[in-house]
Amino acid sequence: MGRRGITLLVLAGLLIPPLAGPPAATAADTLVPGGRPDVGAAVARGAAPAVPFGSRPRPYAEGVITPSGSPAALDRRVVAHYEDWKSAFVRRDCGNGWYQILSPDADHPYVAEAQGYGMVIAATMAGADPDARRIFDGLVKWTIDHPSSVDPDLLAAEQDADCRSVDGGDSATDGDMDVAYGLLLADRQWGSEGTYDYRDLAVRHIAAIKRGEVDPDTHLLRLGDWSGSGDRYRQVSRTSDWMAGHFRAFRGATGDPAWDIVRDAHQTLIAVLQSTYAPDTGLLPDFVVDTHTTPRPAPGEILEGPDDGAYGWNACRTPWRIGDDAVTGGDVRSLAAARKLDAWIREKTGGDPAMIGTGYRLDGTRISAGESAAYVAPFAVAAMTNPGSQGWLDALWRRMSATPVDPSGYFSASIQLQVMITVSGNRWVP
């Protein structure tokens, strides 16, 4: 599939990622015999990442905790998980210079959400993976070559095994949010003088999100560019799309104060939902309806199933998304929301991560049996916001470290990897 493993340095019997080692090569770099990048040419082009993995350029907010252990030990665990994730899901299918993130557990082989995850991950892992920029640029080409049928500056949500967009070719908001954010990370990592002008692409993508995926009346995110005026889904929003840290980055990149309004609208609604519908748990529902009047959890099936108003396979990401903003920016509202979630789950499970279920009613009643990293990992980011949760955070880290990448489940593996990046101290906002 054209993939190579991560270059590792063996020191004293330990695997140490080369945090400031050879720079990543772009797709345009000269190749030496065997198809490997000419590192000397890459250096000459100034391709070394500005924020190599492990450099921790910006401290987290005051009072934020990380797992016990040395930063180097935490980094080794993240790199090992990344290597397995990359082997399982990073593909070069259908030619055309594309890279894609395979999504075997989704409705289609390739979905926008997975590509967005891949772009954020690749840009963050630069410095540990010499292929990071090559992968990133291949994902950029994929997004350019698979435009939404509604707005060509957004990404079509689903592609089939032949890499063709299907089901109308319109967008999915969560994928677009991460695509734009990944492009901002890439601009910070490598600049925008190479094959692609990352910053220009990011600004265009952010503008398209604003015009097609943000409701102009409520300032809340829609499901995609297809849920516009007159559509019955216009007053529906998905809580896992509410990425406050992304809104902060979009405001910084564009200077557009509208993103402050968008951010405030989502944080206000999080507080209302927690206090009104989940005062004892802080849990958010997968979907919110009636956003133009009195927003409330979906009363039944609205898009995916009868439990659309519960804490399910969408909302399970919210402790991670809310927590990310809390630990990197110290926002008091994100901190309050994350701490509420942390306090509930720690008491609910008795401090045992194995007791975290796969779905809850908003009152904390467990819906289904089983365990998944998609539910376990996000609570680790919430735990970072509470200095009294050190033992709980350490238990969650051990659980994640012992959970291998399942090649049949990109969703859980991708969430866990991104959580491990944050929890290890390696999350930074462009």
Side-chain angles (χ1 to χ4, degrees):
M1 306 303 293
R3 303 187 307 278
R4 298 191 301 280
I6 303 171
T7 301
L8 296 172
L9 201 60
V10 181
L11 294 176
L14 299 175
L15 294 178
I16 308 294
L19 302 182
T26 69
D29 285 327
T30 304
L31 298 182
V32 298
R36 295 171 297 169
D38 183 340
V39 175
V43 171
R45 290 178 172 83
V51 188
F53 177 79
S55 60
R56 295 173 174 82
R58 297 171 187 166
Y60 284 166
E62 184 178 355
V64 169
I65 60 174
T66 55
S68 301
S70 70
L74 301 180
D75 290 351
R76 285 194 291 271
R77 180 56 59 186
V78 177
V79 171
H81 195 85
Y82 168 73
E83 187 174 10
D84 291 342
W85 175 89
K86 178 183 174 184
S87 177
F89 305 115
V90 177
R91 295 288 185 269
R92 296 191 69 184
D93 295 336
C94 305
N96 293 313
W98 294 330
Y99 273 87
Q100 316 90 1
I101 308 303
L102 182 67
S103 52
D105 47 333
D107 291 339
H108 297 279
Y110 313 105
V111 295
E113 171 190 83
Q115 313 321 311
Y117 286 165
M119 291 174 74
V120 172
I121 291 168
T124 305
M125 296 305 297
D129 183 359
D131 276 341
R133 189 172 185 181
R134 182 185 297 278
I135 293 169
F136 189 90
D137 281 356
L139 289 166
V140 172
K141 190 173 193 307
W142 174 271
T143 65
I144 292 172
D145 292 349
H146 293 86
S148 167
S149 59
V150 177
D151 189 324
D153 284 330
L154 297 173
L155 172 61
E158 300 164 322
Q159 288 78 38
D160 63 17
D162 295 319
C163 302
R164 297 174 300 194
S165 294
V166 294
D167 288 353
D170 42 32
S171 77
T173 298
D174 54 353
D176 286 318
M177 290 284 290
D178 274 334
V179 166
Y181 192 82
L183 286 163
L184 292 178
L185 290 172
D187 174 64
R188 176 74 174 87
Q189 280 287 34
W190 300 297
S192 291
E193 304 300 321
T195 304
Y196 298 105
D197 187 333
Y198 304 129
R199 187 168 187 82
D200 178 70
L201 289 171
V203 170
R204 285 167 51 190
H205 212 87
I206 292 167
I209 292 171
K210 179 184 174 183
R211 66 175 174 259
E213 295 175 339
V214 175
D215 189 292
D217 298 318
T218 66
H219 311 293
L220 297 173
L221 289 174
R222 296 171 172 168
L223 301 174
D225 61 5
W226 50 272
S227 56
S229 178
D231 189 286
R232 75 185 185 96
Y233 294 107
R234 184 187 178 195
Q235 295 194 51
V236 179
S237 189
R238 180 172 36 226
T239 60
S240 56
D241 296 352
W242 301 354
M243 308 172 199
H246 288 37
F247 299 145
R248 186 195 303 275
F250 295 171
R251 169 65 160 97
T254 64
D256 185 351
W259 289 110
D260 293 332
I261 299 172
V262 171
R263 177 185 174 85
D264 180 71
H266 288 87
Q267 291 192 304
T268 298
L269 186 50
I270 288 171
V272 169
L273 290 169
Q274 285 189 323
S275 63
T276 305
Y277 297 99
D280 298 324
T281 66
L283 295 172
L284 299 180
D286 279 353
F287 296 96
V288 175
V289 300
D290 297 338
T291 56
H292 281 232
T293 52
T294 304
R296 61 192 176 101
E301 181 172 357
I302 191 69
L303 188 68
E304 296 184 358
D307 293 322
D308 280 351
Y311 179 84
W313 288 96
N314 288 288
C316 67
R317 293 169 284 185
T318 57
W320 157 42
R321 295 301 196 182
I322 294 171
D324 258 357
D325 184 58
V327 302
T328 58
D331 184 275
V332 294
R333 290 184 292 180
S334 291
L335 282 166
R339 286 171 177 163
K340 191 173 187 67
L341 288 161
D342 175 62
W344 170 75
I345 194 62
R346 186 159 43 104
E347 180 179 358
K348 177 75 173 180
T349 62
D352 182 358
M355 299 302 294
I356 297 176
T358 54
Y360 293 92
R361 305 292 179 202
L362 299 189
D363 65 2
T365 303
R366 187 165 174 171
I367 294 175
S368 57
E371 180 186 350
S372 170
Y375 284 84
V376 174
F379 282 115
V381 187
M384 298 175 71
T385 67
N386 186 353
S389 290
Q390 186 67 61
W392 170 236
L393 176 59
D394 288 346
L396 288 163
W397 179 259
R398 288 192 298 270
R399 191 74 179 183
M400 289 188 289
S401 298
T403 301
V405 170
D406 177 358
S408 67
Y410 96 92
F411 184 75
S412 293
S414 299
I415 291 171
Q416 178 168 293
L417 173 56
Q418 292 177 89
V419 166
M420 292 176 77
I421 288 170
T422 297
V423 173
S424 66
N426 285 292
R427 172 81 165 174
W428 50 275
V429 178

